[in-house]
C-alpha cells in the first residue's frame, strides 16, 4: 500500500494525467487516445483488457505506465501449465519454526501484466477473480490484502485460438474496459523507426512523473467528480438499449452501468473538468460495454 496519499481535487488530476500521457507518448507513438483510455481505467481503479495482435506494444504500454508512476510491476506469462499458486502464492512449510509461511506470488504488485491470459486453464484464470474484485488473496483461510494502487492489465491475441481457453463472461465482466491498440499509420510507423535509429538502443528512458501516493490521491479525486441526474439517466438509457437490441443475445448488466459512470468520471478529470458531460460518456461507452454483451450466434459470421 502507498505509505501516504496526496490529497488533491478533481481540477488537479487533469494536469498530472496529461503529464503522464505526454511521458508515455515518448514510447507509444501516435496512440494518445489508447493511453488516455488505459490511464482512465487506472484512475477509475479498474482493470484493463488489451486485445490485439502481437507486436503492437501492449506489453510496452503496461511497462511504460508503471515506470512513469513509479509503480512496482510484475509480468505473468500465462501458459497451459500455469497453476493458481503460481499467480497468488502459497503456504510453504518452514522446518526451522515448524510453521507454514505465506510466500506471496506475482499478483502482489501495483501493476500486474497478465500476458496472453486466455492461454491459462480456467482454474488459473479463476484465481485472478478474487484478486481483481476484492483486492485480496485468500490462502488456507487467511486473507492477504493487495497493495495500492493495484491494476491488472491483461492481454490476449484475438486471432490465434489454438491452445487457448476463452475467458468466461464472468471474468470478462471483471475488466472495467477492453481496448485495442491498432496498427499505426504510415507516418507514425516512420516516426517509430526514426526514433529507434536516433537513440541507438531498444530501451527508452522515461522519467517518473507521479509517485504511487499521488496516483492514489488522483483515484480518490476522481470519486469527487460530479455526475448530474441527467447524465445518470443517459447512462441507464444506453445500457438498457443493449438489453433490447435484437442482434444481442445478452445485454450489459448494472455492473456495466457502474463501469460507464466510473470511466466517464475519470475521462472528465483527464480533460481537466470536475463534472461529467455526455461527450465523456460517449468516449468510453464502447470500451466499457462491448465486452459485456454477447452477439447472437447466428450473426457471428457476419
Amino acid at each position: 500500500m502507498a505509505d501516504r496519499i496526496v490529497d488533491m481535487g478533481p481540477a488537479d488530476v487533469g494536469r498530472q494525467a496529461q503529464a503522464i500521457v505526454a511521458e508515455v507518448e515518448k514510447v507509444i507513438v501516435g496512440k494518445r487516445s489508447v493511453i488516455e483510455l488505459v490511464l482512465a481505467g487506472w484512475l477509475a481503479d479498474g482493470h484493463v483488457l488489451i486485445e490485439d495482435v502481437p507486436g503492437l506494444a501492449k506489453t510496452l504500454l503496461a511497462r511504460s505506465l508503471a515506470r512513469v508512476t513509479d509503480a512496482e510491476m510484475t509480468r505473468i506469462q500465462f501458459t497451459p501449465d500455469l497453476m493458481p499458486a503460481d499467480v497468488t502464492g502459497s503456504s510453504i512449510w518452514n522446518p526451522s519454526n515448524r510453521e507454514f509461511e505465506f510466500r506471496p506470488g506475482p499478483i502482489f504488485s501495483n501493476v500486474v501484466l497478465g500476458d496472453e491470459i486466455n492461454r491459462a486453464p480456467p482454474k488459473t484464470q479463476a484465481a485472478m477473480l478474487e484478486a481483481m474484485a476484492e483486492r485480496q488473496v485468500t490462502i488456507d483461510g487467511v486473507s492477504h490484502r493487495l497493495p495500492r494502487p493495484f491494476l491488472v492489465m491483461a492481454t490476449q491475441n484475438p486471432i490465434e485460438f489454438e491452445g487457448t481457453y476463452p475467458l468466461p463472461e464472468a471474468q470478462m465482466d471483471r475488466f472495467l474496459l477492453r481496448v485495442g491498440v491498432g496498427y499505426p499509420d504510415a507516418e507514425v510507423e516512420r516516426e517509430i523507426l526514426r526514433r529507434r535509429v536516433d537513440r541507438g538502443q531498444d530501451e527508452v528512458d522515461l522519467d517518473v512523473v507521479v509517485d504511487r501516493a499521488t496516483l492514489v490521491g488522483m483515484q480518490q479525486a476522481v470519486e469527487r467528480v460530479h455526475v448530474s441526474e441527467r447524465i445518470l439517466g443517459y447512462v441507464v438509457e444506453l445500457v438498457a438499449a443493449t438489453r433490447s437490441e435484437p442482434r444481442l443475445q445478452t445485454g450489459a448488466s448494472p455492473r456495466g452501468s457502474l463501469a460507464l459512470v466510473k470511466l466517464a468520471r475519470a475521462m472528465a478529470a483527464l480533460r481537466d473538468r470536475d463534472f461529467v458531460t455526455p461527450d465523456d460518456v460517449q468516449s468510453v461507452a464502447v470500451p466499457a460495454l462491448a465486452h459485456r454483451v454477447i452477439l447472437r450466434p447466428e450473426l457471428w459470421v457476419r
Side-chain angles (χ1 to χ4, degrees):
M1 179 179 289
D3 297 330
R4 57 189 175 84
I5 298 176
V6 177
D7 188 29
M8 62 176 66
D12 302 317
V13 176
R15 175 176 52 83
Q16 300 278 18
Q18 291 307 318
I20 293 173
V21 173
E23 190 68 18
V24 175
E25 277 192 306
K26 293 180 181 179
V27 182
I28 311 297
V29 184
K31 295 295 179 181
R32 187 179 187 86
S33 61
V34 176
I35 300 171
E36 287 183 341
L37 273 173
V38 174
L39 180 57
W42 202 357
L43 293 180
D45 202 17
H47 308 293
V48 180
L49 177 64
I50 306 178
E51 187 177 83
D52 222 319
V53 298
L56 294 182
K58 300 187 296 293
T59 302
L60 182 60
L61 175 57
R63 286 209 323 263
S64 301
L65 184 62
R67 171 60 185 159
V68 301
T69 56
D70 196 30
E72 180 185 352
M73 176 185 164
T74 56
R75 178 178 179 272
I76 306 173
Q77 181 64 55
F78 282 79
T79 57
D81 61 347
L82 192 73
M83 300 298 291
D86 297 328
V87 175
T88 60
S90 59
S91 295
I92 306 297
W93 176 255
N94 188 336
S96 62
N97 58 13
R98 303 179 64 82
E99 292 181 351
F100 282 99
E101 294 181 354
F102 176 66
R103 302 287 176 86
I107 195 72
F108 285 84
S109 186
N110 299 123
V111 180
V112 179
L113 174 62
D115 213 357
E116 295 189 285
I117 190 172
N118 56 332
R119 290 201 174 277
K123 188 174 183 179
T124 304
Q125 293 175 1
M128 301 280 290
L129 282 176
E130 182 189 14
M132 294 171 64
E134 307 297 334
R135 310 302 170 98
Q136 68 179 21
V137 168
T138 301
I139 304 293
D140 296 332
V142 179
S143 296
H144 306 271
R145 298 296 300 176
L146 293 167
R148 293 183 64 193
F150 175 69
L151 167 71
V152 172
M153 291 182 64
T155 70
Q156 63 178 7
N157 180 352
I159 62 171
E160 187 177 349
F161 299 104
E162 185 175 351
T164 63
Y165 303 84
L167 292 177
E169 285 73 16
Q171 188 162 350
M172 289 284 285
D173 207 35
R174 298 293 181 182
F175 289 99
L176 190 66
L177 73 158
R178 181 183 65 181
V179 298
V181 179
Y183 288 110
D185 59 35
E187 183 54 41
V188 169
E189 194 158 2
R190 277 196 296 268
E191 179 63 21
I192 293 171
L193 299 177
R194 191 179 300 119
R195 292 187 185 187
R196 172 60 183 87
V197 171
D198 289 344
R199 68 174 176 265
Q201 61 180 15
D202 287 330
E203 294 299 319
V204 179
D205 295 326
L206 296 177
D207 296 326
V208 174
V209 176
V210 300
D211 59 15
R212 282 170 278 185
T214 302
L215 189 62
V216 174
M218 292 169 70
Q219 291 177 333
Q220 293 187 348
V222 166
E223 292 292 332
R224 297 193 289 273
V225 173
H226 177 67
V227 187
S228 68
E229 284 295 324
R230 293 183 65 183
I231 293 295
L232 292 178
Y234 180 44
V235 168
V236 170
E237 289 180 9
L238 280 177
V239 175
T242 68
R243 300 167 189 163
S244 59
E245 169 58 50
R247 291 170 294 181
L248 296 179
Q249 179 174 306
T250 304
S253 68
R255 185 181 288 159
S257 305
L258 291 169
L260 195 50
V261 171
K262 291 173 70 174
L263 277 172
R265 291 173 109 181
M267 192 57 71
L270 266 167
R271 294 168 174 171
D272 208 18
R273 277 187 279 99
D274 61 357
F275 60 93
V276 176
T277 68
D279 286 342
D280 298 322
V281 177
Q282 291 169 15
S283 65
V284 298
V286 173
L289 299 178
H291 62 293
R292 304 176 194 273
V293 300
I294 301 175
L295 193 66
R296 289 192 177 278
E298 62 268 22
L299 299 177
W300 287 350
V301 294
R302 293 169 54 188

